[in-house]
Amino acid sequence: MLEIRNLKAEIEGKKILNGINLTVNPGEVHAIMGPNGAGKSTLSSVLAGRADYEVTEGEIMFEGKNLLEMSPEDRAREGVFLAFQYPVEIPGVSTTNFLKTAINETRKYKGLEPMEATDFLKFMREKMELMEMDKSLTSRSLNEGFSGGEKKRNEVFQMAMLEPKLAIMDETDSGLDIDALRLVSNGVNKLRNKDRSFVVITHYQRLLDYIVPDFVHVLYKGRIVKSGDASLAKELEVKGYDWIKAEVEAAQ
Amino acid sequence: MSTIEKLKKDFEHYRAQADASAFAQQRESAFVELQKLGIPSIKHEEWKYTNLKFINDIPFQASCLHTEAAKTYYTQNIVQTLKANRLVFINGSFEATLTQIQPEDAGIIITNLASARIAHADMFSKHFGKYATVEGIALNAMNTALMSDGAFIYVPEGKQTAYPIIITNISDASEVNVLNQPRNLIVVEKNAAATVIESFFAFGNHASFCNIVNEVYVGENASLEHYKLQRLLGEHYQNNYTQVFQEGNTHINQVTLTLDGKFVRNNLHFYMNGENCNTLLYGLYLLDGNQFVDNHTRVDHAKPNCFSDEKYKGILKDKSTAVFNGKIMVHLDAQKTNAYQRNQNILLSDEATVNTKPQLEIFADDVKCTHGATVGQLDEEPMFYMRSRGIPENVARKLLLNAFADDIAEKIKIPELVAILEEQIEKKI
Ligand SMILES: Nc1ncnc2c1ncn2[C@@H]1O[C@H](COP(=O)(O)OP(=O)(O)OP(=O)(O)O)[C@@H](O)[C@H]1O
Ligand SMILES: [Mg+2]
């Protein structure tokens, strides 16, 4: 589904990604961990098509198509979804209107008729129930005045609405209280299926107790320096990153 | 021949037909004032960014031409679905055939000023020229001396308009360069309520200049919904002066929408002459090409315990320019004043410009006054966020600009006007 080969990217001349290789197959969940500033959000931004970053080398194939040649909106419409580490507030645009536009623009891209207003509302109600979302949030302006945790939950709700093929979740667990963490994880687990893949960026093993990954990768200085199964996350929880950093230094 | 000399010829023409009325006297002294002041140049503080040079450069003529084109233009461009009372003026003169009065509003006087001066002489002389001063204001003096005709609205004590009153002014420059000087007088008596829409159109291949003065009196405990809709195509210049005079306990909601205009100067003034007034003034300008709009507002808090809320917003494309100058005068007496003012602008191009200036003059000590102005581009972050959900750039931009304009749109109580606004946003971006 997703094939990242030797990806290098920089911003304002500063090299941030230094040759990432990652393959994600349908239905897999990959966790990416790594110290602050390692380049995790940069990787997710490059996947989503943020223009600030310049890709200097490598390629990203998504379902056989060159992702790097697509506009951000086309990537989304092809099925890539990014749950932002810092979701943006958009005053004056309601979540409902926003999602209706997003869904219908995606349908248009695929040559489908727009969803009828009543069908849309029904669909939204179903997803709200599935994600255990509070109704008052969707009638408000998008993320405006939402608490940190509410914003994160709204990201997962949007994911449920847009039904992506590949969901990248950038620290969706940060800032969630214990109950919200469970709700979000349950939500994600309900969306898991044999075709849908996830890349979950997190600092905490705790999330991975709920969303059990197939693979865990450690990103450090813009490269994936270690990969393993779910047990790697447990090991990191105990030992921290120093031993990995030491391994990397030794290898150089 | 200088502009003033040309106007003098026009004025002498009027003078030849004048009677000995107080009205004729007012015009005489207005003309004296105009001669004294001349047309202000950009050296004049109030006209720093707004150059009236065109008045000298373009050979305008006071024309009362009523072409079929203008009538057709009117019937095609009014909001037909809106049930309303209507008065239409083409090039400043009354087009009686297009008048519409709803039977439910028979108790309200809705007519042209020229006939009201005779038919309702006492009300006319009580209010005419009492609010919009000519002293020191050349274009008001020019209008007062040389005005053609306009609307006269009189809402008697305790009465309410059942339907909005739409005053339409059309500048038709299809044959010559025209100068229009309409004059409106709106009186809303004690305990009355009215909704008035002023709608301005301009079209034609020549230039037109509309120099309009509005006087609005709002009696004790009365309320007014007041809208201005400016859709001015072609080589049109407009100077739009409005003085609202409010007695105590009045409520005013005023929205000015400038959706097109090569050159528009709005002077919107409120004078709160009693306690517990509520004055809400909002505006939205959508400019592209080389369009220019200047909103000069002035809110006079003359008495205690009044509230004013002002918000003007602009979206500017291409090489357009906006000027905002918001003056709030809190007089010595006006304790417990609450006054808010904001001006926010979004520039969609590097070549668009905004000059914005709040001007607070506060002479009372127990007041709450805030102001703020912003000029910026559309934010990148919301844009990327929306695109990352599959919304293409142009649709995202439209959503964001609609959201920006919504603040003002929600102050409009007439859905048909909101629809015009939305349509125009759609068209312009
Ligand atoms: N716009 C930018 N300008 C300059 N430097 C940037 C920019 N964006 C990211 N960086 C730098 O790139 C590096 C990687 O940042 P990134 O946000 O990808 O880290 P991260 O792994 O997501 O960290 P965290 O765990 O703290 O979220 C950091 O050193 C950061 O300062
Ligand atoms: Mg990050």
Side-chain angles (χ1 to χ4, degrees):
Chain A
M1 163 169 301
L2 179 72
E3 188 101 25
I4 304 176
R5 274 187 288 249
N6 191 32
L7 181 68
K8 297 190 180 175
E10 57 184 56
I11 187 160
E12 289 158 9
K14 185 179 169 197
K15 294 188 169 65
I16 301 175
L17 301 183
N18 298 308
I20 302 244
N21 291 292
L22 180 68
T23 302
V24 179
N25 294 310
E28 289 177 355
V29 175
H30 291 244
I32 296 183
M33 304 183 79
N36 295 127
K40 303 181 297 298
S41 293
T42 302
L43 175 62
S44 55
S45 292
V46 169
L47 284 168
R50 196 187 278 276
D52 308 341
Y53 299 94
E54 195 197 338
V55 174
T56 51
E57 241 185 279
E59 60 175 9
I60 307 176
M61 302 302 285
F62 179 68
E63 296 202 303
K65 293 180 188 158
N66 184 349
L67 203 66
L68 291 173
E69 280 179 355
M70 292 182 207
S71 65
E73 53 269 36
D74 282 354
R75 298 178 194 204
R77 297 188 277 204
E78 290 287 342
V80 177
F81 180 92
L82 169 63
F84 283 56
Q85 182 172 2
Y86 305 107
V88 182
E89 300 198 9
I90 308 187
V93 177
S94 73
T95 305
T96 309
N97 189 20
F98 173 69
L99 284 171
K100 190 157 65 188
T101 310
I103 285 178
N104 283 334
E105 288 296 335
T106 301
R107 290 177 68 89
K108 192 155 114 197
Y109 178 79
K110 293 180 177 157
L112 298 170
E113 289 294 306
M115 228 175 182
E116 293 283 338
T118 49
D119 292 344
F120 174 79
L121 289 174
K122 188 162 158 271
F123 180 67
M124 189 160 98
R125 243 188 336 265
E126 284 166 14
K127 295 294 182 186
M128 280 168 71
E129 264 168 43
L130 186 73
M131 295 289 118
E132 302 180 56
M133 275 290 282
D134 194 45
K135 200 166 161 245
S136 66
L137 290 183
T138 51
S139 57
R140 278 164 61 182
S141 283
L142 190 62
N143 292 330
E144 193 189 20
F146 283 26
S147 74
E150 285 168 345
K151 284 180 186 164
K152 296 300 181 73
R153 293 197 52 200
N154 196 22
E155 293 292 287
V156 179
F157 169 63
Q158 289 178 36
M159 185 165 92
M161 289 291 289
L162 296 170
E163 302 180 316
K165 292 177 186 154
L166 171 70
I168 304 147
M169 300 172 62
D170 192 357
E171 293 196 32
T172 305
D173 55 334
S174 301
L176 292 180
D177 69 37
I178 300 158
D179 294 332
L181 180 66
R182 202 163 30 232
L183 284 170
V184 161
S185 315
N186 283 344
V188 171
N189 284 331
K190 284 176 198 164
L191 297 175
R192 276 178 85 160
N193 64 32
K194 66 173 185 14
D195 300 317
R196 184 170 293 140
S197 312
F198 292 83
V199 173
V200 181
I201 296 168
T202 182
H203 286 297
Y204 307 107
Q205 150 63 23
R206 201 182 44 184
L207 176 74
L208 305 179
D209 283 340
Y210 294 108
I211 306 172
V212 181
D214 301 301
F215 302 93
V216 174
H217 310 278
V218 177
L219 193 72
Y220 178 57
K221 290 192 173 168
R223 286 190 304 129
I224 290 179
V225 294
K226 201 163 196 67
S227 297
D229 60 15
S231 67
L232 176 58
K234 294 205 167 71
E235 195 177 351
L236 291 169
E237 181 81 1
V238 179
K239 294 165 52 180
Y241 291 113
D242 281 353
W243 62 286
I244 292 186
K245 290 180 187 173
E247 270 182 30
V248 172
E249 308 308 323
Q252 273 171 1
Chain B
M1 208 187 323
S2 82
T3 305
I4 302 289
E5 281 166 38
K6 264 191 316 195
L7 292 171
K8 190 165 186 174
K9 283 184 74 181
D10 289 343
F11 185 68
E12 269 155 12
H13 174 76
Y14 280 115
R15 188 190 261 156
Q17 306 160 0
D19 46 26
S21 66
F23 174 62
Q25 278 308 311
Q26 275 168 302
R27 304 188 86 166
E28 282 289 342
S29 45
F31 198 75
V32 171
E33 185 71 8
L34 174 64
Q35 282 177 300
K36 190 183 96 190
L37 297 170
I39 305 295
S41 75
I42 51 170
K43 291 196 191 100
H44 192 296
E45 186 55 31
E46 291 289 305
W47 296 93
K48 199 167 156 190
Y49 300 107
T50 307
N51 198 335
L52 293 174
K53 199 166 145 297
F54 68 89
I55 301 178
N56 293 316
D57 293 351
I58 301 171
F60 290 110
Q61 54 190 94
S63 151
C64 293
L65 208 66
H66 284 207
T67 61
E68 278 309 312
K71 290 184 208 173
T72 312
Y73 194 84
Y74 171 74
T75 44
Q76 283 171 359
N77 282 282
I78 50 164
V79 195
Q80 300 283 6
T81 50
L82 179 60
K83 192 166 179 184
N85 302 289
R86 298 170 196 273
L87 292 175
V88 180
F89 299 85
I90 300 174
N91 285 340
S93 83
F94 187 42
E95 178 51 61
T97 60
L98 295 174
T99 299
Q100 283 176 29
I101 305 293
Q102 303 297 336
E104 292 86 342
D105 283 322
I108 290 157
I109 302 171
I110 302 169
T111 183
N112 64 319
L113 197 68
S115 41
R117 189 166 76 81
I118 315 297
H120 307 285
D122 47 343
M123 298 169 205
F124 178 88
S125 57
K126 185 172 169 199
H127 295 287
F128 180 85
K130 297 295 188 293
Y131 313 113
T133 181
V134 300
E135 259 165 64
I137 305 181
L139 293 181
N140 279 6
M142 180 170 152
N143 175 284
T144 304
L146 294 151
M147 53 162 268
S148 47
D149 200 351
F152 178 81
I153 312 291
Y154 185 86
V155 188
E157 189 174 329
K159 285 259 196 298
Q160 295 189 3
T161 52
Y163 297 101
I165 299 165
I166 307 180
I167 305 165
T168 302
N169 270 288
I170 301 174
S171 295
D172 171 3
S174 51
E175 292 182 12
V176 288
N177 298 320
V178 292
L179 166 64
N180 316 153
Q181 302 210 69
R183 175 86 175 211
N184 297 333
L185 177 58
I186 299 167
V187 177
V188 186
E189 289 285 23
K190 202 170 160 181
N191 298 323
T195 298
V196 177
I197 303 170
E198 290 177 50
S199 175
F200 297 90
F201 288 114
F203 73 102
N205 292 327
H206 293 78
S208 55
F209 173 33
C210 175
N211 178 38
I212 182 169
V213 173
N214 291 279
E215 291 184 283
V216 182
Y217 172 85
V218 186
E220 186 75 30
N221 206 32
S223 70
L224 175 67
E225 286 287 323
H226 188 204
Y227 302 98
K228 279 182 199 274
L229 179 62
Q230 294 168 317
R231 284 180 289 174
L232 308 163
L233 301 176
E235 184 86 0
H236 180 78
Y237 300 82
Q238 181 159 131
N239 178 62
N240 195 315
Y241 190 98
T242 302
Q243 176 69 56
V244 181
F245 187 88
Q246 298 173 244
E247 304 289 12
N249 292 301
T250 48
H251 178 91
I252 295 186
N253 183 48
Q254 208 285 343
V255 185
T256 299
L257 302 173
T258 309
L259 305 185
D260 262 314
K262 176 191 163 69
F263 179 103
V264 178
R265 163 68 172 247
N266 291 317
N267 312 273
L268 182 61
H269 298 191
F270 294 85
Y271 191 94
M272 286 175 264
N273 191 46
E275 293 195 32
N276 301 313
C277 292
N278 251 326
T279 302
L280 314 177
L281 58 152
Y282 305 109
L284 185 73
Y285 36 95
L286 296 179
L287 306 179
D288 60 10
N290 285 307
Q291 296 184 331
F292 172 89
V293 60
D294 172 359
N295 282 292
H296 260 65
T297 64
R298 174 174 172 151
V299 179
D300 275 276
H301 282 263
K303 295 283 153 66
N305 294 311
C306 292
F307 172 82
S308 66
D309 184 37
E310 172 168 18
K311 188 185 271 190
Y312 271 71
K313 288 190 149 190
I315 299 173
L316 291 90
K317 258 178 76 171
D318 307 332
K319 294 182 175 177
S320 58
T321 306
V323 178
F324 175 82
N325 186 296
K327 190 181 223 170
I328 299 176
M329 278 284 270
V330 181
H331 297 230
L332 195 57
D333 262 4
Q335 300 298 356
K336 307 274 179 209
T337 287
N338 269 318
Y340 302 97
Q341 180 189 90
R342 277 138 304 165
N343 173 234
Q344 297 168 337
N345 299 279
I346 290 186
L347 307 183
L348 297 179
S349 109
D350 293 340
E351 292 173 301
T353 36
V354 174
N355 288 301
T356 175
K357 182 178 165 199
Q359 227 180 318
L360 308 185
E361 295 183 22
I362 301 172
F363 298 98
D365 44 32
D366 185 11
V367 301
K368 232 168 54 203
C369 238
T370 63
H371 66 86
T374 56
V375 180
Q377 316 263 335
L378 214 48
D379 284 346
E380 279 298 320
E381 279 302 304
M383 198 69 171
F384 178 67
Y385 190 72
M386 293 182 132
R387 294 179 69 191
S388 80
R389 298 298 183 249
I391 300 173
E393 211 170 346
N394 62 335
V395 178
R397 184 179 302 127
K398 207 166 67 197
L399 277 175
L400 292 173
L401 292 177
N402 269 318
F404 177 77
D406 241 21
D407 255 11
I408 304 300
E410 71 186 18
K411 311 295 185 191
I412 303 171
K413 312 264 166 62
I414 299 172
E416 285 82 353
L417 283 185
V418 179
I420 291 174
L421 174 61
E422 283 169 354
E423 199 180 293
Q424 194 72 7
I425 292 179
E426 179 98 7
K427 209 173 86 189
K428 282 220 168 175
I429 57 190

